[in-house]
């Protein structure tokens, strides 16, 4: 499927396929990862954490084809200090943000290490995503309202499978433990 008839989900699926084909280490984060564990919401972009070796970004763009354009300027993400590249699916203007793994951040390294491959119903394919606890931890760090809503949705749906000791250890380190407790009051049925 090509052109402006592609949905954001189809564009994201095409990027997953291209990353797999190029053997680039990645994990799909942002709304798509919280959708996997919570209540789905739409998004204006797809976020990936990647470890790109020399020449792989060019290979990825070749794999994606002419409907995708790469902004040649690498950008610094202010909150985490991560470097990112932005790819645009030109017909739809849907953005794909490729964040380089931030090796200076202990949690970024740990969540990448703990990632796993899972079938994502939304994308109708398998992709590498963070563990549920790491989705919650990262979204608590962002503290944007949409991310906090995602946390409540993930806790509502996936609370019973969460490793609460692991989750609490990071929220204490990041100073977001009280915020987590506040959000737990918004969860319709508290997880065990």
């Amino acid at each position: 499927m090509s052109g402006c008839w592609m949905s954001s989900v189809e564009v994201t699926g095409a990027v997953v396929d291209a990353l797999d084909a190029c053997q680039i280490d990645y994990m799909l984060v942002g709304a798509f990862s919280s959708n996997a564990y919570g209540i789905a919401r739409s998004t204006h972009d797809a976020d990936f954490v990647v470890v790109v070796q020399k020449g792989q970004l060019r290979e990825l763009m070749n794999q994606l084809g002419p409907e995708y354009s790469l902004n040649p300027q690498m950008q610094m993400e202010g909150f985490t200090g991560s470097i990112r590249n932005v790819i645009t699916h030109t017909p739809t203007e849907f953005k794909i943000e490729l964040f380089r793994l931030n090796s200076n951040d202990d949690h970024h390294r740990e969540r990448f290490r703990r990632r796993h491959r899972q079938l994502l119903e939304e994308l109708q394919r398998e992709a590498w995503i963070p563990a549920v606890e790491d989705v919650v931890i990262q979204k608590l760090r962002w503290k944007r309202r949409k991310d906090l809503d995602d946390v409540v949705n993930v806790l509502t749906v996936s609370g019973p499978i969460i490793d609460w000791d692991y989750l609490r250890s990071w929220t204490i380190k990041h100073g977001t433990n009280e915020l987590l407790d506040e959000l737990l009051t918004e969860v319709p049925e508290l997880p065990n």
Side-chain angles (χ1 to χ4, degrees):
M1 184 166 282
S2 65
C4 61
W5 301 110
M6 288 181 79
S7 69
S8 58
V9 169
E10 290 165 329
V11 171
T12 304
V15 174
V16 166
D17 293 344
L19 288 164
D20 284 338
C22 295
Q23 298 182 346
I24 294 173
D25 289 332
Y26 74 90
M27 69 179 171
L28 179 58
V29 296
F32 283 99
S33 66
S34 59
N35 288 355
Y37 298 112
I39 299 165
R41 69 164 170 88
S42 63
T43 183
H44 299 293
D45 60 16
D47 301 326
F48 292 83
V49 174
V50 295
V51 177
V52 181
Q53 306 302 324
K54 186 176 180 179
Q56 283 187 313
L57 198 53
R58 187 178 322 109
E59 183 184 352
L60 176 65
M61 293 310 297
N62 289 338
Q63 184 75 29
L64 287 170
E67 291 184 348
Y68 295 81
S69 63
L70 172 68
N71 183 333
Q73 290 290 105
M74 289 181 71
Q75 301 171 9
M76 175 75 78
E77 193 284 307
F79 180 76
T80 63
S82 298
I83 304 286
R84 73 176 175 203
N85 293 102
V86 178
I87 297 171
T88 303
H89 180 250
T90 308
T92 61
E93 297 186 11
F94 187 75
K95 305 275 189 237
I96 295 96
E97 296 188 282
L98 302 179
F99 293 89
R100 303 297 172 93
L101 178 64
N102 185 345
S103 59
N104 295 323
D105 186 300
D106 290 342
H107 181 252
H108 283 214
R109 288 194 315 270
E110 182 64 9
R111 79 176 176 151
F112 199 80
R113 186 191 68 74
R114 296 178 78 231
R115 72 195 165 110
H116 63 278
R117 198 157 174 90
Q118 179 172 318
L119 175 63
L120 301 180
E121 301 277 334
E122 185 176 18
L123 297 183
Q124 299 180 0
R125 62 185 36 79
E126 287 188 356
W128 290 96
I129 63 171
V132 63
E133 298 85 5
D134 295 312
V135 171
V136 172
I137 292 162
Q138 189 62 31
K139 287 188 171 284
L140 287 169
R141 292 178 80 187
W142 280 100
K143 298 180 185 171
R144 298 175 301 189
R145 188 63 241 183
K146 69 178 179 178
D147 292 308
L148 300 181
D149 290 342
D150 286 343
V151 168
V152 171
N153 289 334
V154 169
L155 294 175
T156 298
V157 173
S158 297
I161 65 167
I162 288 176
D163 177 342
W164 287 91
D165 291 337
Y166 175 85
L167 177 58
R168 290 289 186 181
S169 71
W170 282 105
T171 60
I172 290 167
K173 284 179 189 173
H174 293 151
T176 56
N177 201 43
E178 286 182 18
L179 178 57
L180 174 60
D181 285 337
E182 288 172 28
L183 294 175
L184 280 169
T185 67
E186 298 179 32
V187 174
E189 186 174 317
L190 287 176
N192 294 331

